[in-house]
Amino acid sequence: MKRILVPTDFSKHAEDALKLAAQIAKKTKCEIFLLHMLELPGQMSDAISGGSGIPEVMLFIKKANETLQKVKESTLLDGISVTETVQFERASHGILSFSKKNKIDLIIMGSHGSSGVEEILIGSNTEKVVRLSEIPVLVIKKDPGKFEAKNFVFASDFSQEIKKPFKKMIEFTKNFDANLFLVMICTPNSFKTTIAAEKIMNDFTKDFDIKNYSMHIFNDANIEKGILNFANSTNADLIGLCTHGRTGLAHFFNGSISEDLVNHTVKPVITFKI
C-alpha cells in the first residue's frame, strides 16, 4: 500500500477521515492524496469546458484551492507527502476516476452517520463509490482517536468468489499486525450446522498463508446483528466486508447490510470489491 485517497468537502466528517488517513500513512509510509470535488452550476460548468474565466468560476476555484492548502498545511500531516487536487466532476464519478488514474490503493471517507453511507460528500452517492470502487474503501463515523487495527473482524460466507478480495484483505491486515477474526454468521434464514460451516471455512482458508487468525461461527437473528454483536464481543477495531458491483453493497447479504452496519456501528468498516 503506497497511496491513500481522502475525498474532502472540508466537513468535520472529512476531517475525521483525514485524521485516520494520517495515522495509517505514517505507519505505512504512504502518500496522501487530498481531493475536493467542485460541483458547479450548469452554466459555470459550461464556462469551464469552454475555457471561459468568468469571475464566479474563478472565485470558486480560488476559494477551494485556498481551503485545500490550509488542510494540507495542518500539523496533522507533518512528515507525510501530500498531493492536493481540485477536480470539476460529480463527486462519486470523480472519486472513482481519480483513484484509477492515480493508482490509489485505499480510499478513506467519513460518514455523516444519521443517513448511513448515503451522503458522505455533498452531491455524491457514497454507496456508489463503495459498490463500484475496484480498491478498498474505509468508512468511518467519528474521530478515530488513536487508531489501532489490532482486532480485525472479517465477515463472509467464504465462497470461492471471495478469494480475490480476501487476498487483498490479508495484505491490508499485514500493515497493522492485526489479529484476524474470520466469522461466518448463521441465521434462521441461512442456517448451517457447525460441522458444515467449519468445513467451508477450513476448505477456504487452506489456500492462504494467514497468521494471527481464528475462525468463528456466530448465530444471531440476522446478519447485521450477528456482525455487530460479534464485533462488540471481540472488541473489534475494524470490520471488513466484501462488496459486489452488480448487486449493491453486500453480495452475500439480503438487502444493503453494509449500509446498515455503517449506520448502526461507530466502528470503522472497510469494504473489498469482489
Side-chain angles (χ1 to χ4, degrees), residues 9-234:
D9 60 354
F10 310 124
S11 67
K12 174 66 166 60
H13 310 288
E15 181 183 344
D16 291 341
L18 185 58
K19 288 179 181 178
L20 177 55
Q23 293 187 56
I24 294 177
K26 288 177 180 178
K27 186 176 184 66
T28 60
K29 304 289 192 291
C30 280
E31 179 179 2
I32 288 179
F33 287 75
L34 282 170
L35 176 64
H36 178 65
M37 305 305 303
L38 194 54
E39 296 192 46
L40 301 175
Q43 67 273 21
M44 292 188 181
S45 297
D46 293 340
I48 288 289
S49 61
S52 174
I54 62 175
E56 292 90 344
V57 173
M58 301 309 294
L59 182 61
F60 273 107
I61 296 171
K62 183 174 183 291
K63 185 63 177 177
N65 279 307
E66 287 176 353
T67 308
L68 203 55
Q69 185 63 31
K70 288 180 181 178
V71 174
K72 180 181 178 180
E73 293 172 356
S74 167
T75 56
L76 180 72
L77 299 173
D78 286 350
I80 302 172
S81 176
V82 180
T83 300
E84 76 278 14
T85 303
V86 174
Q87 187 163 305
F88 301 93
E89 197 172 351
R90 285 182 57 193
S92 57
H93 294 285
I95 291 166
L96 293 169
S97 63
F98 184 93
S99 64
K100 186 175 182 178
K101 180 180 178 181
N102 291 277
K103 299 180 180 179
I104 299 298
D105 299 300
L106 174 67
I107 300 172
I108 300 181
M109 307 176 79
S111 169
H112 288 285
S114 60
S115 58
V117 294
E118 290 176 357
E119 289 294 331
I120 285 179
L121 300 177
I122 294 174
S124 72
N125 185 325
T126 305
E127 186 271 343
K128 188 177 294 184
V129 175
V130 171
R131 174 164 49 89
L132 298 179
S133 176
E134 296 294 332
I135 62 173
V137 181
L138 201 167
V139 182
I140 69 167
K141 282 182 61 176
K142 66 173 187 175
D143 187 327
K146 184 179 180 181
F147 181 68
E148 296 279 354
K150 289 296 183 183
N151 293 334
F152 182 13
V153 167
F154 181 77
S156 176
D157 65 349
F158 301 97
S159 60
Q160 292 301 303
E161 66 177 346
I162 301 297
K163 287 193 171 182
K164 185 177 179 180
F166 188 81
K167 186 176 181 180
K168 290 183 181 180
M169 184 275 297
I170 292 173
E171 291 301 316
F172 180 83
T173 61
K174 288 179 180 177
N175 292 305
F176 301 95
D177 192 27
N179 298 312
L180 183 58
F181 295 81
L182 304 178
V183 60
M184 179 184 290
I185 308 298
C186 290
T187 72
N189 291 329
S190 62
F191 177 77
K192 291 182 179 65
T193 66
T194 299
I195 292 175
E198 286 179 343
K199 184 178 189 309
I200 290 171
M201 296 182 76
N202 282 319
D203 289 345
F204 183 92
T205 55
K206 69 182 181 182
D207 294 331
F208 298 90
D209 180 21
I210 321 172
K211 297 179 180 179
N212 301 326
Y213 81 101
S214 55
M215 294 189 294
H216 305 267
I217 300 156
F218 196 82
N219 300 317
D220 215 316
N222 58 52
I223 298 289
E224 180 192 347
K225 287 182 179 179
I227 295 174
L228 289 174
N229 288 331
F230 181 79
N232 288 330
S233 71
T234 56

